[in-house]
Amino acid sequence: MISAAGVRCAAGRAGVFFGLVAGVVLSAGTALAASQPMVTGGLTSQPIGHYDFCRLNPAECSIKERDAGPAQMTGALWRKIVAVNIAVNAAIKPMNDIDIYGRDEVWTYPDNGEGDCEDYVLEKRRTLSREGVSLSDLLITVVRKPDGEGHAVLTVRTSKGDFVLDNLTDSVRQWDETGYNYLKRQSAENTGRWVTIREGQTTMVGSVK
C-alpha cells in the first residue's frame, strides 16, 4: 500500500543550548532516565515520498535485518546522536520541495545543502549508519504536530527508550516528550516496509492509511 497523504514540513529550529547541555550531562556520567518504547502494530501504507525514494534507490529499500533489539545506550552513543542532530540541522538550509523541485513530496538526500524534514531525516540516518548504528534502530517516522501538520523525524531505538531527532529542534528528546501524534514508522526488519504506531494513536493512524 502507498499513502498519498503528504508530509508538510515546517522550516526552522530552536533549542541548540539544551541539546549541547544534554550531551555534556550524559558524558559526565549522569544516568539517562529510561522511557517505554513506542508500541508498533502491523504493516501499513508506505508514504508516497518514500515510495518514490525507493524507486530511485532500490538497494536502500530492500535491506532486511534481524531485529536484535534496541541499541545499547552508552555515553558515546548519546554524544554521537546529539552531535549528528546538531550538525545536520546546522548544515542544511530549510526549504520546501515546491521551492527546490517545483513539486511536493520529494524525499532525497540534501547533498545540495537544502531540504525539508524528510531530507534532514535521511541525512541523519545515513550519517549514524555510517558511524555504526544499525539501520534497524534508525527509523524514519511520520507524525502530526499539535497544529495538525504532517512532519517526519528520525527515531533512534535504544535500551533507554526511543529518541527523536528533529530538524525543528537541536534537543534530542524521548518520543513521548515531543507533543507529537505518532502515525507510522519504518519496520525494524525491512527498510522498505512501514508499520503502525499503536500507543494511543489508533484514530490518527487510521486516518492516513
Side-chain angles (χ1 to χ4, degrees), residues 1 18 23 35 45 53 93 104 129 136 140 166:
M1 292 184 295
F18 180 84
S35 172
S45 55
F53 172 82
K93 178 182 178 180
D104 277 329
S129 175
S136 66
I140 307 170
D166 192 343

Side-chain angles (χ1 to χ4, degrees), residues 95-132:
M95 290 186 66
N96 63 51
D97 291 333
I98 291 291
D99 291 337
I100 302 173
Y101 306 106
R103 59 189 177 93
D104 277 329
E105 292 303 305
V106 180
W107 293 30
T108 188
Y109 290 111
D111 294 332
N112 61 358
E114 302 171 340
D116 63 4
C117 60
E118 304 98 346
D119 309 331
Y120 285 84
V121 170
L122 288 168
E123 184 60 35
K124 292 171 186 179
R125 181 172 173 271
R126 177 168 68 175
T127 302
L128 287 169
S129 175
R130 287 174 174 174
E131 295 190 10

Side-chain angles (χ1 to χ4, degrees), residues 189-202:
E189 298 178 345
N190 187 322
T191 56
R193 294 188 173 183
W194 287 68
V195 296
T196 61
I197 300 172
R198 297 171 53 193
E199 186 65 20
Q201 307 301 326
T202 52

Side-chain angles (χ1 to χ4, degrees), residues 141-151 175 178-184 197 199-201 204-205:
T141 305
V142 173
V143 305
R144 289 224 188 277
K145 300 189 301 170
D147 63 6
E149 184 178 37
H151 187 48
W175 73 280
T178 63
Y180 294 149
N181 284 324
Y182 287 78
L183 308 182
K184 60 178 81 177
I197 300 172
E199 186 65 20
Q201 307 301 326
M204 294 299 293
V205 168

Side-chain angles (χ1 to χ4, degrees), residues 52-81:
D52 289 338
F53 172 82
C54 290
R55 285 196 303 112
L56 296 174
N57 304 275
E60 295 205 25
C61 299
S62 57
I63 301 171
K64 299 178 182 179
E65 295 192 353
R66 183 180 66 86
D67 184 3
Q72 184 65 34
M73 176 59 82
T74 63
L77 177 59
W78 177 252
R79 291 189 294 273
K80 184 181 298 184
I81 291 170

Side-chain angles (χ1 to χ4, degrees), residues 28-40:
T30 300
L32 192 66
S35 172
Q36 292 297 315
M38 295 180 201
V39 178
T40 57

